[in-house]
Amino acid sequence: EIVLTQSPATLSLSPGERATLSCRASQSVGSSLVWYQQKPGQPPRLLIYDASDRATGIPARFSGSGSGTDFTLTINSLEPEDFAVYYCQQRSKWPLTFGGGTKVEIK
Amino acid sequence: EVQLLESGGDLVQPGGSLRLSCAASGFTFSSYAMTWVRQAPGKGLEWVSAISRSGGISGGPTYYADSVKGRFTLSRDNSKNTLYLQMNSLRAEDTAVYYCARGGGDLAFDLWGQGTMVTVSS
């Protein structure tokens, strides 16, 4: 099973700042890495697929990068609605797995 | 409207069974792999099971997390645009919100339902 480790667990930032979230895989997943955003009481929302492609309707301030085992989600200039939990997920090998999540909270 | 609507969540005793359903609308259901993801209270996301576009008894692969293998069975009825998750031998650790999502190994989960709550407790 591919283990995804997200860091940090919590990121405390102010609106307007840049958020940098990390996801590290226990083995290569190529570019088959996905990012989701989840707000309290809501289902996850797809942000980034194939490591760097933004899903439909996702603002340009969200960007993904990386390949192999190291991936980054960057949120430029945080908006109030961006404070949420972010999960990475690999779809390279079965079983599919998620990272433990990074909570981006208001400082 | 493109949507997924889960149903069937309930309070069940340990060892009991439950069947979840996910009704799809607004898109060609048979063209997509489908998945269940669960989230225990206050915890992260856990992938549960996925089924190919034509998966189930009629053919095509179905996949399970080790934590549910042998207890859960995923199936679909493309004529009814519905996904099913039969859950047997339920345990307290199966308590979670269960989300139906469009996609599988070949695609990211680009559409999610609102979830249905399963509570396993005596």
Side-chain angles (χ1 to χ4, degrees):
Chain A
E1 171 176 317
I2 297 176
V3 176
L4 299 179
T5 302
Q6 290 189 242
S7 61
T10 304
L11 200 50
S12 298
L13 296 169
S14 300
E17 291 191 296
R18 172 183 293 179
T20 303
L21 289 66
S22 173
C23 176
R24 178 163 291 177
S26 59
Q27 59 183 272
S28 178
V29 299
S31 60
S32 298
L33 195 286
V34 186
W35 291 95
Y36 302 91
Q37 175 195 67
Q38 188 180 33
K39 297 178 182 179
Q42 295 184 18
R45 177 174 72 145
L46 174 64
L47 294 177
I48 302 286
Y49 64 95
D50 292 349
S52 59
D53 292 335
R54 272 190 305 277
T56 303
I58 301 304
R61 63 180 182 274
F62 290 91
S63 64
S65 63
S67 66
T69 60
D70 290 297
F71 299 87
T72 301
L73 174 68
T74 301
I75 312 171
N76 284 311
S77 189
L78 281 162
E79 296 287 342
E81 61 268 27
D82 299 336
F83 292 92
V85 180
Y86 293 83
Y87 295 94
C88 59
Q89 177 241 327
Q90 65 82 19
R91 61 174 192 81
S92 174
K93 293 182 180 177
W94 301 100
L96 307 183
T97 49
F98 287 90
T102 290
K103 181 180 182 180
V104 179
E105 64 176 24
I106 299 177
K107 186 174 181 180
Chain B
E1 182 184 1
V2 177
Q3 65 177 0
L4 298 170
L5 184 61
E6 303 97 333
S7 61
D10 204 348
L11 170 64
V12 61
Q13 292 189 341
S17 297
L18 210 55
R19 188 177 84 156
L20 305 184
S21 298
C22 172
S25 59
F27 66 97
T28 305
F29 179 68
S30 59
S31 294
Y32 292 88
M34 297 294 295
T35 289
W36 287 94
V37 173
R38 68 185 180 184
Q39 187 168 36
K43 302 298 184 181
L45 301 173
E46 179 187 13
W47 173 78
V48 173
S49 182
I51 191 167
S52 61
R53 284 170 283 186
S54 60
I57 296 175
S58 59
T62 308
Y63 304 90
Y64 300 94
D66 286 347
S67 58
V68 306
K69 199 174 294 183
R71 301 187 298 123
F72 290 12
T73 302
L74 182 57
S75 62
R76 66 190 298 163
D77 186 337
N78 287 342
S79 68
K80 295 182 178 180
N81 294 336
T82 303
L83 182 71
Y84 303 101
L85 183 66
Q86 177 66 42
M87 304 187 295
N88 298 331
S89 303
L90 283 162
R91 307 167 180 167
E93 54 265 36
D94 296 318
T95 295
V97 174
Y98 283 72
Y99 293 104
C100 169
R102 184 173 74 178
D106 57 341
L107 290 174
F109 308 139
D110 66 342
L111 177 67
W112 296 70
Q114 289 299 310
T116 187
M117 183 69 203
V118 173
T119 303
V120 184
S121 175
S122 55

